[in-house]
Structure formats: structure tokens, C-alpha cells
Amino acid sequence: MTPEQRYDLAIEWRRTSHKVRHMIRLEYRRRFGNDNSEEHWEEYLTEALNIKPFWKTAGLI
């Protein structure tokens, strides 16, 4: 993940409602547990927030 993608992902995560963030965290823990890397979490979050189409449009991919 590039620094630009990481920065955008952080912005999108902060803009996501608390309720949705909670649901995403619960699903992640249910599927993968708590002992995963930051990279694994970022990849999951990218999918959960469906951010790749925007990145393609914005030229980040």
C-alpha cells in the first residue's frame, strides 16, 4: 500500500460512522481474531470500505 493510499484510507475510516466502524471491527475479529498485522487490517479495511474503485478513479492504483 502506498503512503497516499494509506493516508486516504485513514481519512475514509475517520469519515465512517461509529456504528459502521464498530460493525467492521466486530466482523474482522470474528473472521480473523485479534492477532493480525497492520497490513492485514488495512487490506481488510480497503475491502470493507470498498475504496479501490475510488483509488482507480483518482489514480492511486
Side-chain angles (χ1 to χ4, degrees), residues 1-59:
M1 181 174 294
T2 68
E4 292 83 6
Q5 290 170 333
R6 190 168 278 117
Y7 179 77
D8 188 61
L9 183 60
I11 290 170
E12 290 302 318
W13 182 243
R14 282 192 298 269
R15 293 181 61 213
T16 302
S17 73
H18 289 285
K19 183 178 180 179
V20 172
R21 286 194 286 186
H22 180 70
M23 291 170 42
I24 290 171
R25 285 186 192 113
L26 286 176
E27 178 64 17
Y28 181 80
R29 288 184 192 125
R30 186 186 69 75
R31 290 178 64 191
F32 305 110
N34 290 324
D35 297 330
N36 292 297
S37 69
E38 179 102 9
E39 284 182 12
H40 188 264
W41 166 245
E42 289 173 342
E43 285 300 318
Y44 177 79
L45 197 53
T46 298
E47 295 301 321
L49 295 176
N50 193 30
I51 201 166
K52 285 187 180 183
F54 170 74
W55 285 354
K56 286 180 183 176
T57 302

